Short mmCIF file of all heavy atoms in Angstrom, two decimals:
data_model
loop_
_atom_site.label_atom_id
_atom_site.label_comp_id
_atom_site.label_asym_id
_atom_site.label_seq_id
_atom_site.Cartn_x
_atom_site.Cartn_y
_atom_site.Cartn_z
N GLN B 1024 -8.42 -18.40 36.78
CA GLN B 1024 -7.78 -19.27 35.78
C GLN B 1024 -7.93 -18.65 34.39
O GLN B 1024 -9.01 -18.25 33.99
CB GLN B 1024 -8.43 -20.65 35.80
CG GLN B 1024 -7.80 -21.64 34.83
CD GLN B 1024 -8.66 -22.86 34.59
OE1 GLN B 1024 -9.75 -22.97 35.13
NE2 GLN B 1024 -8.19 -23.76 33.78
N LYS B 1025 -6.82 -18.58 33.67
CA LYS B 1025 -6.88 -18.06 32.31
C LYS B 1025 -7.59 -19.07 31.42
O LYS B 1025 -7.52 -20.27 31.64
CB LYS B 1025 -5.46 -17.82 31.78
CG LYS B 1025 -4.77 -16.64 32.45
CD LYS B 1025 -3.38 -16.44 31.87
CE LYS B 1025 -2.65 -15.37 32.65
NZ LYS B 1025 -1.22 -15.31 32.30
N GLU B 1026 -8.24 -18.57 30.38
CA GLU B 1026 -9.00 -19.45 29.49
C GLU B 1026 -8.09 -20.35 28.67
O GLU B 1026 -8.44 -21.50 28.40
CB GLU B 1026 -9.88 -18.61 28.59
CG GLU B 1026 -10.99 -17.90 29.36
CD GLU B 1026 -11.89 -17.10 28.44
OE1 GLU B 1026 -11.45 -16.06 27.93
OE2 GLU B 1026 -13.04 -17.53 28.24
N VAL B 1027 -6.95 -19.82 28.25
CA VAL B 1027 -5.96 -20.61 27.51
C VAL B 1027 -4.60 -20.34 28.16
O VAL B 1027 -4.18 -19.18 28.23
CB VAL B 1027 -5.92 -20.23 26.02
CG1 VAL B 1027 -4.85 -21.03 25.29
CG2 VAL B 1027 -7.28 -20.47 25.38
N GLU B 1028 -3.98 -21.37 28.64
CA GLU B 1028 -2.72 -21.20 29.37
C GLU B 1028 -1.56 -21.88 28.67
O GLU B 1028 -1.68 -23.02 28.22
CB GLU B 1028 -2.85 -21.77 30.79
CG GLU B 1028 -3.82 -21.00 31.65
CD GLU B 1028 -3.43 -20.96 33.11
OE1 GLU B 1028 -2.30 -20.53 33.43
OE2 GLU B 1028 -4.25 -21.39 33.93
N THR B 1047 -3.18 -25.64 27.84
CA THR B 1047 -4.42 -26.12 28.46
C THR B 1047 -5.49 -25.05 28.28
O THR B 1047 -5.19 -23.86 28.14
CB THR B 1047 -4.23 -26.42 29.96
OG1 THR B 1047 -3.77 -25.23 30.62
CG2 THR B 1047 -3.24 -27.53 30.19
N TYR B 1048 -6.75 -25.50 28.29
CA TYR B 1048 -7.85 -24.57 28.05
C TYR B 1048 -8.98 -24.87 29.01
O TYR B 1048 -9.09 -25.98 29.53
CB TYR B 1048 -8.32 -24.64 26.59
CG TYR B 1048 -8.80 -26.00 26.15
CD1 TYR B 1048 -10.14 -26.34 26.20
CD2 TYR B 1048 -7.89 -26.95 25.68
CE1 TYR B 1048 -10.58 -27.58 25.80
CE2 TYR B 1048 -8.32 -28.20 25.28
CZ TYR B 1048 -9.66 -28.51 25.34
OH TYR B 1048 -10.09 -29.76 24.95
N SER B 1049 -9.82 -23.87 29.23
CA SER B 1049 -10.81 -23.98 30.29
C SER B 1049 -12.19 -24.46 29.82
O SER B 1049 -12.94 -25.05 30.59
CB SER B 1049 -10.97 -22.63 30.99
OG SER B 1049 -11.43 -21.66 30.06
N ASP B 1050 -12.53 -24.20 28.55
CA ASP B 1050 -13.89 -24.47 28.07
C ASP B 1050 -13.98 -25.90 27.53
O ASP B 1050 -13.46 -26.20 26.46
CB ASP B 1050 -14.25 -23.46 26.98
CG ASP B 1050 -15.70 -23.57 26.55
OD1 ASP B 1050 -16.37 -24.59 26.84
OD2 ASP B 1050 -16.19 -22.61 25.91
N GLN B 1093 -8.42 -31.56 28.50
CA GLN B 1093 -8.42 -30.16 28.06
C GLN B 1093 -7.00 -29.69 27.82
O GLN B 1093 -6.56 -28.67 28.38
CB GLN B 1093 -9.18 -29.30 29.08
CG GLN B 1093 -10.65 -29.66 29.13
CD GLN B 1093 -11.41 -28.97 30.23
OE1 GLN B 1093 -11.98 -29.64 31.11
NE2 GLN B 1093 -11.43 -27.66 30.21
#
Side-chain angles (χ1 to χ4, degrees):
Chain B
Q1024 182 195 1
K1025 289 181 186 169
E1026 293 182 288
V1027 178
E1028 293 213 56
T1047 58
Y1048 59 94
S1049 61
D1050 187 344
Q1093 294 173 240

